[in-house]
């Protein structure tokens, strides 16, 4: 037996001995098709402004989209999630559903560049309201049912502009059913809804709110986003969204909610996306810049863990660099500079 007389044991190391063997038994492999790349589209022209807390992530104006799409295509990435930063905000977020709003312009521009790119739009009001909240306010309270009207209008306007998928992220009750009905009544029966079904009231959204200029001017989002302490409640939220007609679901954030991803994968056979949010990105970038971690390995390990937990889609600001590494090249921002 040759084990120095110790009690019998299994030799797991046999299958870990060479890279070939490890590849052969690997359970989880990530590839560019797993990723959705989130983008911030801003009003104006010739804008390409790096978000200070998110190195490598830029707010870009619509005229920059050809170059952005070329870069994504060359990396083998084929889907984007769009957030808009309008030049005009008001109490009811009317620029969110304007026919010529920033997102509507961006969707049309991308579809003109390449209509094979899958364009997912974030449907929420917080980027478009002067107070930075996700809906219509009555004092400090967000009115649920009145807010649904705005969400329905936004979703229809995105679909009319050519969006392939709408993704409501507001966490109002009943919004998936309302949006489904609105889309169907307006001839968009084929537009899927990818709902942020389990979205937690998370401190990890901090850098995003800088990037999207959507910090609430008072209060927070705990009256509608989920309590980080709750897991079972996530499955009730997911079930309600599926009953109302969601085609797929998003769990957000990712790294600190992998138990929810894994539980959802066991229960539901729909596409599941996990959103690796801005704060998760910022932490890795900050540690890497300090030389405290091996950036590439930490990012690849993170992405693999999200997929291993059961997400078949990963929404991540790391998508470009990951795709580049998968192609065996180093992504340098300079490579794409003018
Ligand atoms: C709301 C929205 C948020 C994010 C995506 N959609 C912010 C919020 O709820 O305050 C966060 C994404 C991230 O942190 O990367 N429109």
């Amino acid at each position: 037996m040759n084990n120095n007389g110790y009690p019998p044991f299994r030799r797991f190391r046999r299958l870990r001995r060479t890279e070939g063997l490890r590849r052969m038994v690997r359970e989880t492999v990530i590839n560019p098709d797993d990723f959705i790349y989130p983008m911030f589209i801003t009003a104006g022209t010739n804008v390409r402004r790096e978000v200070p807390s998110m190195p490598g992530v830029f707010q870009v104006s619509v005229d920059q989209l050809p170059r952005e799409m070329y870069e994504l295509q060359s990396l083998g990435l084929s889907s984007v999630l769009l957030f808009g930063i309008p030049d005009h905000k008001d109490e009811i977020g009317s620029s969110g559903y304007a026919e010529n709003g920033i997102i509507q312009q961006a969707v049309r521009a991308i579809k003109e560049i390449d209509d094979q790119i899958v364009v997912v739009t974030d449907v929420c009001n917080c980027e478009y309201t002067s107070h930075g909240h996700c809906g219509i306010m009555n004092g400090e309270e967000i009115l649920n049912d009145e807010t649904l009207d705005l969400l329905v209008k936004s979703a229809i306007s995105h679909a009319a502009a050519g969006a392939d998928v709408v993704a409501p992220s507001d966490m109002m009750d009943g919004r998936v059913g309302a949006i489904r009905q609105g889309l169907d009544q307006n001839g968009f029966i084929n537009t899927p809804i990818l709902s942020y079904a389990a979205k937690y009231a998370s401190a990890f959204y901090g850098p995003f709110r800088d990037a999207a200029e959507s910090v609430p001017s008072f209060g927070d989002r705990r009256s509608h986003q989920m309590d980080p302490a709750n897991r079972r409640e996530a499955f009730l939220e997911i079930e309600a969204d599926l009953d109302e007609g969601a085609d797929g679901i998003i769990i957000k954030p990712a790294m600190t909610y992998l138990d929810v991803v894994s539980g959802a994968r066991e229960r539901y056979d729909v596409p599941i996306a996990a959103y690796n949010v801005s704060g998760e990105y910022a932490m890795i970038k900050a540690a890497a810049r300090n030389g405290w971690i091996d950036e590439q390995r930490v990012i690849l390990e993170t992405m693999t863990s999200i997929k291993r937990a059961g997400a078949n889609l990963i929404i991540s600001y790391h998508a470009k660099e990951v795709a580049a590494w998968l192609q065996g090249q180093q992504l340098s921002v300079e490579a794409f500079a003018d």
Side-chain angles (χ1 to χ4, degrees):
M1 272 238 269
N2 207 13
N3 59 355
N4 280 358
Y6 289 115
F9 48 80
R10 274 180 74 168
R11 293 196 184 272
F12 292 102
R13 294 182 57 188
R14 277 185 200 130
L15 290 175
R16 295 180 197 148
R17 201 172 45 81
T18 67
E19 178 55 15
L21 286 165
R22 291 191 290 271
R23 283 177 63 168
M24 192 181 78
V25 298
R26 188 157 293 148
E27 299 174 30
T28 309
V29 179
I30 53 172
N31 66 68
D33 289 340
D34 301 330
F35 289 88
I36 301 177
Y37 183 62
M39 299 184 68
F40 301 102
I41 316 296
T42 187
T45 48
N46 230 345
V47 184
R48 200 176 147 75
R49 196 183 302 128
E50 194 167 29
V51 180
S53 51
M54 302 176 73
V57 173
F58 295 81
Q59 298 177 339
V60 296
S61 49
V62 172
D63 58 282
Q64 301 292 306
L65 287 171
R67 164 187 173 182
E68 292 289 322
M69 294 306 120
Y70 169 74
E71 183 181 356
L72 292 173
Q73 287 165 331
S74 68
L75 292 166
L77 294 167
S78 54
S79 27
V80 293
L81 170 61
L82 303 185
F83 296 95
I85 308 162
D87 52 7
H88 158 80
K89 304 194 184 203
D90 60 26
E91 291 265 293
I92 58 165
S94 60
S95 54
Y97 51 83
E99 200 198 321
N100 217 18
I102 185 70
I103 282 299
Q104 293 78 0
Q105 289 178 38
V107 172
R108 285 193 292 265
I110 294 174
K111 284 287 152 184
E112 217 160 277
I113 295 162
D114 178 357
D115 71 352
Q116 296 304 303
I117 294 171
V118 177
V119 179
V120 186
T121 55
D122 187 84
V123 176
C124 189
N125 298 306
C126 62
E127 296 120 67
Y128 306 96
T129 51
S130 42
H131 42 70
H133 280 291
C134 306
I136 295 182
M137 306 299 288
N138 177 22
E140 307 231 320
E141 189 197 347
I142 304 174
L143 298 174
N144 191 88
D145 305 14
E146 289 76 357
T147 296
L148 297 183
D149 301 344
L150 300 181
L151 298 167
V152 172
K153 280 192 205 170
S154 297
I156 293 170
S157 74
H158 294 178
D164 294 287
V165 180
V166 293
S169 69
D170 51 282
M171 289 298 276
M172 293 299 115
D173 291 322
R175 90 268 207 221
V176 173
I179 290 172
R180 184 72 271 156
Q181 175 181 297
L183 290 172
D184 291 352
Q185 287 173 349
N186 285 273
F188 300 111
I189 55 168
N190 289 322
T191 305
I193 300 174
L194 181 63
S195 81
Y196 290 76
K199 176 174 176 181
Y200 286 86
S202 170
F204 287 97
Y205 306 150
F208 171 93
R209 292 181 189 170
D210 294 337
E213 300 171 13
S214 64
V215 182
S217 57
F218 58 88
D220 55 38
R221 305 211 203 287
R222 280 182 243 207
S223 79
H224 52 294
Q225 298 181 349
M226 285 183 60
D227 183 339
N230 292 358
R231 178 174 192 268
R232 294 189 297 265
E233 189 188 353
F235 304 129
L236 298 177
E237 280 279 6
I238 293 169
E239 227 155 85
D241 282 10
L242 293 175
D243 285 348
E244 290 177 33
D247 298 280
I249 55 159
I250 303 175
I251 290 159
K252 173 182 175 186
M255 290 167 73
T256 40
Y257 299 88
L258 292 182
D259 58 326
V260 178
V261 173
S262 155
R265 176 40 78 222
E266 274 163 28
R267 289 171 173 79
Y268 310 107
D269 290 326
V270 295
I272 296 177
Y275 197 144
N276 176 232
V277 302
S278 57
E280 302 176 59
Y281 179 86
M283 287 195 305
I284 290 180
K285 288 292 169 188
R289 290 200 156 188
N290 275 297
W292 293 340
I293 55 172
D294 178 333
E295 180 174 22
Q296 179 171 343
R297 289 189 56 202
V298 166
I299 292 170
L300 291 173
E301 183 175 333
T302 303
M303 298 303 129
T304 302
S305 75
I306 296 170
K307 192 166 179 191
R308 189 196 63 228
N312 49 289
L313 288 167
I314 303 170
I315 304 170
S316 179
Y317 305 98
H318 293 294
K320 282 194 215 169
E321 54 199 355
V322 170
W325 293 328
L326 295 176
Q327 284 181 359
Q329 60 180 72
Q330 215 65 26
L331 176 66
S332 82
V333 180
E334 290 73 43
F336 297 99
D338 296 352

